[in-house]
Amino acid sequence: MLALPPVSLRGQQAQPASSAVSRYQAPVVSDTGDLKGPRQPIFFRHDIHAGQDQIPCMYCHYSASIASEPGIPSLQTCIGCHQLVGGSTPSHQAEIRKVRDAWRERKPPEWIRIHALPGFVRFPHMRHIKGLGTSLGVEANATCATCHGDVKTMPQVSLVATLKMGWCVRCHVQNKVSRDCSVCHY
Amino acid sequence: MTEPINRRRFLKVLGVSGAGAAAVSACGIGPEPTERLIPYLIQPEDQIPGLATYYATTCRECAAGCGLHVRVREGRAVKLEGNPDSPINRGRLCARGQAGIQGLYNPDRVARPMVRNAGGAFEAIDWDGALQRLSAKVAEARGKGIVFLTGAEVSTFGDLVDEWMRQVGGRRLSYEAFGFDALRAGNRLAFGTSSLPTYDFANAKYVLSFGADFLDTWLSPVEFQNGFSRAHAFDGGRPASMAKFVYVGPRMSLTGMNADEWVGVRPGTEGALALAMAQVIVSRRLAAVPADAGRLSALLSAHTPRTVAEAIGIEQNVIVRLATEFANARGGLAVAGGMAAQYANGAEIAAAVNILNYVAGSVGSLVKFGADLAVGSAGTFADVAALTADMEAGKVGLLFVHGANPAYSLPGKFQQALSKVAYKVSFSSYMDETAAGCDMILPDHHPLEQWADSRPRAGVTAFQQPVVQPVFDTRQTGDVVLRLAGRTGTFQDYLQAKYRTGRGAGFDQFWLDTLATGGVYGDAPTRAVRLGDVSNLAVAAPAAANSEQQDVVVFPHPVLHDGRGANKPWLQELPDPVSKIAWHSWVEVHPDTAKAWGLATGDFLLLKSDFGGQKFPVWITASVRPDVLAVPTGQGHTAYGRYAQDRSANAFELLGVQPNSYGGRNFLVSASATKTGEHRKIVTTEGSPRERGRGTVEVLGVARAKALHAGDHPFHHEETPEYAAEAVAWWAEQQHEKAELGDYRGEQPRWGLAIDLSKCTGCSACVTACYAENNIATVGEDLMQRGREMSWLRLERYWLTDEHGAPQGAVNSPMLCQQCGNAPCEPVCPVYAAYHTPDGLNGQVYNRCVGTRYCSNNCPYKVRYFNWYNYAEREGAYEAWPEPLSMLLNPDVTVREKGVMEKCTFCVQRIRGAQNQARLEDRNVRDGDIVTACQQSCPSDAIVFGDLNDRRSRVYQLAGNPRGYHVLAGLNTKPAITYLARVVAQDTPSHG
């Protein structure tokens, strides 16, 4: 049915049972006003999910390594865990309740898009993941962090790079890949 | 120290600078508005955002039943391609098929059920309410005459309707405006069967068409064009051989244009010509004549070349020559239909052509009965005329109309009769003329939204599956009929139940396999037929019009056909392949006639027959007989949406509504022609009809073509003049150095195309495919009149003339950006938007373009197109994609806005897509991985794309073909497109 390239099958490595490295603990956020980035309809914390719980990026953003679109996870992915995981603090519980409400009312949340390129750019995600490396375990999420920053420590996602063309071209020159206009603009 | 002012800084200071950019202002400059990401609730299993899913279904734009692969992105159908598994079209698709997607997302679709209220206007109603009312009406109308009118519908849906009609005591009638009544009657006369055979063009060694437009609208055009290309193209399959094609008819249609010889006989005399040729073959024993041909002796001896030559209007020796060529080819195929079937003696003409095939031995080998084409089972015109009479007499109490628009093709008469029917229901997806006269509209799903099947020919069952969720609140008519018949379940259940019988446990696998291939494909055995008693065949032509009147031929427009294509802007904007006129109708007048009447192209002529009158603007052309006027159908709608309504004139108004002797309709009428004194500028993309030795098209005689060897250069090829040699060398050196820098170093492909003019018929499927793939805007009639059309690929048609200057055929040349190696457009762009890519393309970066238009000025091929207006602006004056038409936009291609230049990019999105896929799979791109949209759609396989640097690629072989040349070679542009010269059979004197 779908011809999946090898990279997507190798992507997710399980963590060994006894890890020598101490697990990252996400901080308690008491004042969200100081956080960078737009306020999202549900206060989804990447530092808990990707940092503390070590969920690989590709668990949710599944299509990034095979398609040009990064793939925002469906609500089914969220409810997969959160039908059971209710949250350990009242504020966590409030946010998770929003997820369950959305599922029950069949109204997915409208996330504010942070990383957006203009309509005249074609950005193929899978080429960049293929080119920058395929080890996408949580310990080495360097590939995604190249452009998106250290998301596993972000309570609220914000832009860390300008995403302007100069920034893209500098990386292309450093890595000695094509600077041809028509690989992105068509 | 201050920086010197350079060009870039200058422009930056002038324009709006980045920091502190203004809020979104009226001119649209500023930061992007906030986007929202809305995830799926439940991820569909087979959809990955960014990757396309392909579904197999069937095209229902005509009765041929070509298979489709629909490219679906995120739940929207964005492109239709042919299904390679279907034996009918083998992966190709015509322009009408490509435009099917504009029928799906058409802004004038009926969005929900409507019912006529007390005031006479249509108002919306819910489905349950509508069906309740309709059930009551059905019960009321029992015994009062219930009729269900469909298009050609040999399918499970047709069977269901038959069943239901039996249940309620009604009847079903199918109607096609261009039904092949004459051909069926001719087959019955000659062979005793009124079914339609299939024709094996691929194995024909000589093709002789008596008005049969097998490349435009006759029976199964894509299939026949593909077969014809194999037989007729110079290198098509058999090395250096070419079947000669002769076209007999009063005007050159798209099919006639591709002939090696045009025999313009007097209208109605085609049958006499066929019999005279048969007489020559039999009397001189030029072929192995079948044993029972002795029965024909009386008939044939009355039609010798000597007796018929004068009536036909061509010389005897020509008839003898044609007959000899036909027989000696040992595989001659004669076909009749189209215009030769449009006369009062159409059946006799078809029978005469059957006799010609019979004596030449083609029946059973090239003419295969047993195929039973679906379009041959539609009702005849006599049936629909009888229905109209019954309606007029009040004998029909309840009328259902599905997939037919008789109020348009029988204007006036049917509409009047419709008002006498007590209750009428339309299932049309659009508010066409018939629906506008009905009392209730229950819009059907579009063919792309429904489960269905059809049997276009024996042995082939073509399946349809929904490729998208229904766009509007429509319901499949099959479901409605099941409800009214009091049955449970949907039409999908009914359809599956039909195929479940006899399959038991294997059904599920069968169903999945069939949906993947698009249908059940098999061959029907050829049925032997016997020659009937034709001794009394009377092929005499009807009397010519008296001196006050003219013979007017009404012919089907190749793209708009019987009017159904008129609500699709791609089809309206597509220039007619013969006249290159778009957006309106015309009347074809020979130059001698025009001179006698003092007419110029664009003057209006009022044509009035006994049945009606309409005025059409004149198009002066030598491709029609001097004593004949020709008018296309398709325009002149009084309803049917914004693109079709109130546009030009309806040629069906000129035609009568009485059936003729064989139950068909006469499409040749006598009409008076008067100048009205009005004039309009016609909308045409034609520059010059003659090539005048400019080097745009090259033609070779077949003898010369056969004598060519590899390495021959029969055509002018570019050479650098001495004064420019140094400059050109320096420029090439610069390009080379640039190509060696860093990331450009290494082997790069050089993308190129090869276009074989011997295969191109001018059908324009490639043009519509390009519009669909590349988000090209349609500009409308006014802008097209000013030359603002955006077609990246256009077809240029140049007449080939004989020594008297009469046209013998035409050469069609697809003209698109040549991706020149030495491009005139690149050095003149001030902002480096037009530049040369390392892989050989002439790149166009839309966001850099500031709209100087110097590049278009410099282009010698004039293949660069400028966005003069904002065609993408919502509610704008020139909006090309009003909602929901914007859903068919290809997400892989930028939608350009005002002020940006655009042109063909060799489908760079497909090139990059294939390169991305290859990279993911750790391999190189292979030849055949990348197929441009035009190449994919072309029924003749005339276009080949590939890497010119790859010596094993198809395009490399073709580029080295001695027939190859570059357009305007003397300009030294070094284009990446090699055209292969058209080859014509020589020694073709003119006639008629």
Side-chain angles (χ1 to χ4, degrees), chain B residues 234-235 704-714 956-964 980:
Chain B
F234 183 68
D235 292 325
R704 181 109 193 277
K706 281 191 182 162
L708 288 175
H709 305 289
D712 284 349
H713 291 287
Y956 180 79
Q957 308 300 326
L958 288 171
N961 191 309
R963 272 195 300 135
L980 290 139

mmCIF file of all heavy atoms in Angstrom, chain B residues 234-235 704-714 956-964 980:
data_model
loop_
_atom_site.group_PDB
_atom_site.id
_atom_site.type_symbol
_atom_site.label_atom_id
_atom_site.label_comp_id
_atom_site.label_asym_id
_atom_site.label_seq_id
_atom_site.Cartn_x
_atom_site.Cartn_y
_atom_site.Cartn_z
ATOM 1 N N PHE B 234 4.928 7.925 -37.725
ATOM 2 C CA PHE B 234 5.983 7.413 -38.579
ATOM 3 C C PHE B 234 6.795 6.313 -37.909
ATOM 4 O O PHE B 234 7.080 5.294 -38.499
ATOM 5 C CB PHE B 234 6.874 8.562 -39.034
ATOM 6 C CG PHE B 234 7.939 8.130 -39.971
ATOM 7 C CD1 PHE B 234 7.626 7.683 -41.237
ATOM 8 C CD2 PHE B 234 9.263 8.114 -39.581
ATOM 9 C CE1 PHE B 234 8.605 7.261 -42.102
ATOM 10 C CE2 PHE B 234 10.250 7.701 -40.450
ATOM 11 C CZ PHE B 234 9.916 7.273 -41.709
ATOM 12 N N ASP B 235 7.182 6.532 -36.657
ATOM 13 C CA ASP B 235 7.967 5.495 -35.986
ATOM 14 C C ASP B 235 7.113 4.677 -35.049
ATOM 15 O O ASP B 235 7.612 4.020 -34.175
ATOM 16 C CB ASP B 235 9.074 6.145 -35.132
ATOM 17 C CG ASP B 235 10.118 6.802 -35.992
ATOM 18 O OD1 ASP B 235 10.400 6.270 -37.069
ATOM 19 O OD2 ASP B 235 10.638 7.856 -35.582
ATOM 20 N N ARG B 704 11.152 10.610 -48.190
ATOM 21 C CA ARG B 704 12.357 11.262 -47.665
ATOM 22 C C ARG B 704 12.615 10.810 -46.235
ATOM 23 O O ARG B 704 13.740 10.570 -45.836
ATOM 24 C CB ARG B 704 12.103 12.775 -47.726
ATOM 25 C CG ARG B 704 13.212 13.622 -47.268
ATOM 26 C CD ARG B 704 13.928 14.383 -48.403
ATOM 27 N NE ARG B 704 15.172 14.917 -47.849
ATOM 28 C CZ ARG B 704 15.252 16.055 -47.157
ATOM 29 N NH1 ARG B 704 14.176 16.792 -46.981
ATOM 30 N NH2 ARG B 704 16.400 16.444 -46.649
ATOM 31 N N ALA B 705 11.520 10.700 -45.457
ATOM 32 C CA ALA B 705 11.671 10.301 -44.051
ATOM 33 C C ALA B 705 12.235 8.895 -43.945
ATOM 34 O O ALA B 705 13.069 8.603 -43.104
ATOM 35 C CB ALA B 705 10.325 10.396 -43.335
ATOM 36 N N LYS B 706 11.782 8.010 -44.843
ATOM 37 C CA LYS B 706 12.269 6.637 -44.790
ATOM 38 C C LYS B 706 13.740 6.566 -45.152
ATOM 39 O O LYS B 706 14.451 5.664 -44.739
ATOM 40 C CB LYS B 706 11.477 5.753 -45.767
ATOM 41 C CG LYS B 706 10.130 5.345 -45.243
ATOM 42 C CD LYS B 706 9.507 4.273 -46.126
ATOM 43 C CE LYS B 706 8.140 3.935 -45.570
ATOM 44 N NZ LYS B 706 7.268 3.253 -46.494
ATOM 45 N N ALA B 707 14.206 7.522 -45.966
ATOM 46 C CA ALA B 707 15.588 7.461 -46.430
ATOM 47 C C ALA B 707 16.580 8.052 -45.444
ATOM 48 O O ALA B 707 17.777 8.026 -45.687
ATOM 49 C CB ALA B 707 15.690 8.190 -47.772
ATOM 50 N N LEU B 708 16.102 8.579 -44.329
ATOM 51 C CA LEU B 708 17.017 9.219 -43.378
ATOM 52 C C LEU B 708 17.794 8.185 -42.587
ATOM 53 O O LEU B 708 17.274 7.142 -42.218
ATOM 54 C CB LEU B 708 16.221 10.081 -42.390
ATOM 55 C CG LEU B 708 15.620 11.373 -42.917
ATOM 56 C CD1 LEU B 708 14.783 12.017 -41.833
ATOM 57 C CD2 LEU B 708 16.711 12.329 -43.362
ATOM 58 N N HIS B 709 19.048 8.502 -42.307
ATOM 59 C CA HIS B 709 19.852 7.634 -41.434
ATOM 60 C C HIS B 709 20.204 8.382 -40.177
ATOM 61 O O HIS B 709 20.149 9.603 -40.137
ATOM 62 C CB HIS B 709 21.169 7.250 -42.133
ATOM 63 C CG HIS B 709 20.956 6.621 -43.454
ATOM 64 N ND1 HIS B 709 20.454 5.367 -43.610
ATOM 65 C CD2 HIS B 709 21.169 7.097 -44.695
ATOM 66 C CE1 HIS B 709 20.373 5.081 -44.881
ATOM 67 N NE2 HIS B 709 20.801 6.114 -45.571
ATOM 68 N N ALA B 710 20.617 7.632 -39.164
ATOM 69 C CA ALA B 710 21.069 8.279 -37.925
ATOM 70 C C ALA B 710 22.241 9.173 -38.254
ATOM 71 O O ALA B 710 23.138 8.800 -38.992
ATOM 72 C CB ALA B 710 21.492 7.209 -36.925
ATOM 73 N N GLY B 711 22.238 10.379 -37.713
ATOM 74 C CA GLY B 711 23.331 11.305 -38.002
ATOM 75 C C GLY B 711 23.013 12.282 -39.101
ATOM 76 O O GLY B 711 23.726 13.259 -39.304
ATOM 77 N N ASP B 712 21.913 12.050 -39.840
ATOM 78 C CA ASP B 712 21.499 13.019 -40.863
ATOM 79 C C ASP B 712 20.928 14.254 -40.185
ATOM 80 O O ASP B 712 20.304 14.160 -39.147
ATOM 81 C CB ASP B 712 20.399 12.415 -41.753
ATOM 82 C CG ASP B 712 20.967 11.417 -42.737
ATOM 83 O OD1 ASP B 712 22.205 11.357 -42.865
ATOM 84 O OD2 ASP B 712 20.166 10.702 -43.362
ATOM 85 N N HIS B 713 21.141 15.401 -40.838
ATOM 86 C CA HIS B 713 20.531 16.625 -40.311
ATOM 87 C C HIS B 713 19.795 17.318 -41.430
ATOM 88 O O HIS B 713 20.325 18.255 -42.021
ATOM 89 C CB HIS B 713 21.611 17.572 -39.763
ATOM 90 C CG HIS B 713 22.272 17.048 -38.530
ATOM 91 N ND1 HIS B 713 21.649 17.015 -37.317
ATOM 92 C CD2 HIS B 713 23.493 16.505 -38.347
ATOM 93 C CE1 HIS B 713 22.474 16.484 -36.428
ATOM 94 N NE2 HIS B 713 23.597 16.172 -37.020
ATOM 95 N N PRO B 714 18.592 16.876 -41.757
ATOM 96 C CA PRO B 714 17.905 17.492 -42.896
ATOM 97 C C PRO B 714 17.451 18.916 -42.640
ATOM 98 O O PRO B 714 17.147 19.645 -43.557
ATOM 99 C CB PRO B 714 16.690 16.582 -43.101
ATOM 100 C CG PRO B 714 16.489 15.901 -41.804
ATOM 101 C CD PRO B 714 17.818 15.791 -41.148
ATOM 102 N N TYR B 956 16.642 10.760 -24.893
ATOM 103 C CA TYR B 956 17.950 10.897 -25.539
ATOM 104 C C TYR B 956 17.927 10.250 -26.916
ATOM 105 O O TYR B 956 18.449 10.805 -27.885
ATOM 106 C CB TYR B 956 19.035 10.255 -24.664
ATOM 107 C CG TYR B 956 20.415 10.357 -25.254
ATOM 108 C CD1 TYR B 956 21.136 11.542 -25.164
ATOM 109 C CD2 TYR B 956 21.001 9.275 -25.920
ATOM 110 C CE1 TYR B 956 22.402 11.650 -25.707
ATOM 111 C CE2 TYR B 956 22.257 9.378 -26.474
ATOM 112 C CZ TYR B 956 22.958 10.563 -26.372
ATOM 113 O OH TYR B 956 24.200 10.672 -26.918
ATOM 114 N N GLN B 957 17.293 9.071 -26.994
ATOM 115 C CA GLN B 957 17.190 8.409 -28.301
ATOM 116 C C GLN B 957 16.413 9.287 -29.270
ATOM 117 O O GLN B 957 16.787 9.464 -30.430
ATOM 118 C CB GLN B 957 16.447 7.070 -28.169
ATOM 119 C CG GLN B 957 16.968 6.134 -27.115
ATOM 120 C CD GLN B 957 18.396 5.764 -27.367
ATOM 121 O OE1 GLN B 957 18.818 5.649 -28.509
ATOM 122 N NE2 GLN B 957 19.155 5.580 -26.310
ATOM 123 N N LEU B 958 15.299 9.854 -28.805
ATOM 124 C CA LEU B 958 14.460 10.647 -29.692
ATOM 125 C C LEU B 958 15.141 11.952 -30.092
ATOM 126 O O LEU B 958 14.980 12.440 -31.204
ATOM 127 C CB LEU B 958 13.121 10.935 -29.011
ATOM 128 C CG LEU B 958 12.208 9.719 -28.907
ATOM 129 C CD1 LEU B 958 11.011 10.021 -28.032
ATOM 130 C CD2 LEU B 958 11.738 9.300 -30.279
ATOM 131 N N ALA B 959 15.919 12.514 -29.174
ATOM 132 C CA ALA B 959 16.577 13.780 -29.499
ATOM 133 C C ALA B 959 17.615 13.577 -30.600
ATOM 134 O O ALA B 959 17.938 14.498 -31.340
ATOM 135 C CB ALA B 959 17.234 14.358 -28.250
ATOM 136 N N GLY B 960 18.136 12.354 -30.708
ATOM 137 C CA GLY B 960 19.119 12.080 -31.748
ATOM 138 C C GLY B 960 18.503 11.606 -33.049
ATOM 139 O O GLY B 960 19.201 11.362 -34.023
ATOM 140 N N ASN B 961 17.173 11.496 -33.079
ATOM 141 C CA ASN B 961 16.479 11.036 -34.279
ATOM 142 C C ASN B 961 16.723 12.022 -35.427
ATOM 143 O O ASN B 961 16.636 13.230 -35.222
ATOM 144 C CB ASN B 961 14.982 10.950 -33.933
ATOM 145 C CG ASN B 961 14.166 10.236 -34.978
ATOM 146 O OD1 ASN B 961 14.254 10.557 -36.159
ATOM 147 N ND2 ASN B 961 13.367 9.289 -34.538
ATOM 148 N N PRO B 962 17.029 11.531 -36.626
ATOM 149 C CA PRO B 962 17.278 12.479 -37.726
ATOM 150 C C PRO B 962 16.097 13.367 -38.061
ATOM 151 O O PRO B 962 16.255 14.426 -38.647
ATOM 152 C CB PRO B 962 17.625 11.577 -38.916
ATOM 153 C CG PRO B 962 17.268 10.201 -38.516
ATOM 154 C CD PRO B 962 17.271 10.148 -37.031
ATOM 155 N N ARG B 963 14.886 12.949 -37.682
ATOM 156 C CA ARG B 963 13.728 13.816 -37.922
ATOM 157 C C ARG B 963 13.678 14.982 -36.943
ATOM 158 O O ARG B 963 12.814 15.848 -37.045
ATOM 159 C CB ARG B 963 12.427 13.021 -37.749
ATOM 160 C CG ARG B 963 11.929 12.328 -38.982
ATOM 161 C CD ARG B 963 10.476 11.886 -38.819
ATOM 162 N NE ARG B 963 10.247 10.974 -37.729
ATOM 163 C CZ ARG B 963 9.233 11.071 -36.855
ATOM 164 N NH1 ARG B 963 8.381 12.065 -36.950
ATOM 165 N NH2 ARG B 963 9.089 10.183 -35.907
ATOM 166 N N GLY B 964 14.587 14.999 -35.977
ATOM 167 C CA GLY B 964 14.500 15.992 -34.917
ATOM 168 C C GLY B 964 15.000 17.364 -35.341
ATOM 169 O O GLY B 964 15.892 17.487 -36.172
ATOM 170 N N LEU B 980 10.069 16.351 -33.465
ATOM 171 C CA LEU B 980 10.314 15.416 -34.564
ATOM 172 C C LEU B 980 9.361 15.760 -35.688
ATOM 173 O O LEU B 980 8.155 15.869 -35.485
ATOM 174 C CB LEU B 980 10.082 13.989 -34.076
ATOM 175 C CG LEU B 980 11.186 13.579 -33.103
ATOM 176 C CD1 LEU B 980 10.652 12.801 -31.949
ATOM 177 C CD2 LEU B 980 12.214 12.756 -33.823
#
